[in-house]
C-alpha cells in the first residue's frame, strides 16, 4: 500500500477542510459526555478536533504522518488535545474494548480489506459502545464529487448490512447527501451511513 496520503496532506492547506463531517456533527449528540473515542483513518483531524471541542477524549489513527501533524496543529489552534497514533489499520493491531465509541468517515480501503477494518473499528469499542460510519457507496463513481474513482475502493450496502448483524442498529442510510468538505469532497454524493451499538463481546 503506497502512502500517497502522506504526500496529499503535505501542504499547509487542509484538503478536506477544517470543519467536521456533517454526519458526525449531526449525530454527535448520541455520544455520552466525556466519551473516549477512536477516530479511524482520520486524515487531517477535522472530526477528531470537533469531538475534542465537545469535551471528548479523542485518539486519531492514520498512516499518513503529515495528516497527524495537521491534526495536532488544528487541535492546538482550538486549544484542545487529540492523541495521534501513526498506524496502518490494515496490518497493525488496535486496542480492544478501550473506547466508548469509534468513528470512521470516508475510510478508503480495498474491498478485501473493508470487512477487516470494520471489524477492528468495532473491536476497539467496549460492549454497549457506539460505532459511527459514513463512507461512499459504489454508486459514487457516477457522481464525480469526491472519493475513489473505482468501485474496488467503494462500499456495497449489502456488505455493510452483513457486517452489522448482531449489533443494535440505531441508524442506516443509503443514498444521496450534500457534502462540502474542502476541495476534494464537494457536491452531491452517494453515501452509506451506519450507527450501531456494539452488542458483541469481542473475541480478539
Amino acid at each position: 500500500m503506497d502512502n500517497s496520503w502522506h504526500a496529499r496532506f503535505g501542504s499547509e492547506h487542509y484538503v478536506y477542510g477544517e470543519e467536521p463531517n456533517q454526519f458526525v456533527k449531526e449525530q454527535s449528540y448520541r455520544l455520552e459526555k466525556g466519551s473516549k473515542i477512536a477516530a479511524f483513518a482520520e486524515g487531517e483531524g477535522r472530526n477528531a478536533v470537533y469531538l475534542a471541542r465537545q469535551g471528548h477524549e479523542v485518539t486519531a489513527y492514520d498512516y499518513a504522518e503529515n495528516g497527524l501533524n495537521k491534526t495536532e496543529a488544528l487541535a492546538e489552534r482550538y486549544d484542545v488535545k487529540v492523541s495521534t497514533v501513526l498506524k496502518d489499520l490494515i496490518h497493525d493491531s488496535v486496542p480492544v474494548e478501550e473506547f466508548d465509541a469509534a468513528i470512521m468517515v470516508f475510510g478508503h480501503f480495498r474491498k478485501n480489506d473493508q470487512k477487516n477494518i470494520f471489524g477492528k473499528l468495532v473491536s476497539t469499542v467496549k460492549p454497549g459502545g457506539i460505532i459511527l460510519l459514513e463512507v461512499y457507496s459504489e454508486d459514487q463513481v457516477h457522481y464525480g464529487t469526491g472519493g475513489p474513482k473505482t468501485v474496488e475502493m467503494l462500499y456495497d450496502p449489502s456488505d455493510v448490512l452483513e457486517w452489522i448483524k448482531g449489533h443494535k442498529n440505531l441508524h442506516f442510510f443509503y443514498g444521496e447527501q450534500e457534502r462540502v468538505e474542502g476541495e476534494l469532497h464537494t457536491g452531491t454524493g452517494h453515501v452509506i451511513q451506519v450507527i450501531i451499538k456494539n452488542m458483541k463481546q469481542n473475541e480478539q
Side-chain angles (χ1 to χ4, degrees), residues 18-19 49-50 53 73-81:
E18 299 177 19
E19 295 300 313
V49 170
Y50 170 77
R53 291 170 63 195
L74 190 62
E76 185 176 355
R77 194 184 316 159
Y78 284 103
D79 197 26
V80 295
K81 170 66 176 174

Side-chain angles (χ1 to χ4, degrees), residues 98-163:
E98 183 172 311
F99 296 93
D100 303 306
I103 70 166
M104 187 172 76
V105 175
F106 300 125
H108 304 318
F109 297 97
R110 295 185 182 280
K111 288 205 179 292
N112 59 0
D113 294 315
Q114 290 173 1
K115 183 179 180 180
N116 173 40
I117 296 296
F118 186 81
K120 288 182 177 181
L121 190 70
V122 173
S123 76
T124 201
V125 174
K126 301 169 186 174
I130 297 292
I131 295 95
L132 187 153
L133 174 82
E134 180 172 86
V135 292
Y136 280 127
S137 79
E138 292 178 347
D139 290 325
Q140 178 63 15
V141 292
H142 306 300
Y143 286 75
T145 53
K149 302 294 191 287
T150 64
V151 169
E152 169 65 18
M153 298 288 289
L154 298 168
Y155 291 77
D156 182 333
S158 62
D159 289 341
V160 178
L161 286 169
E162 185 66 30
W163 302 338

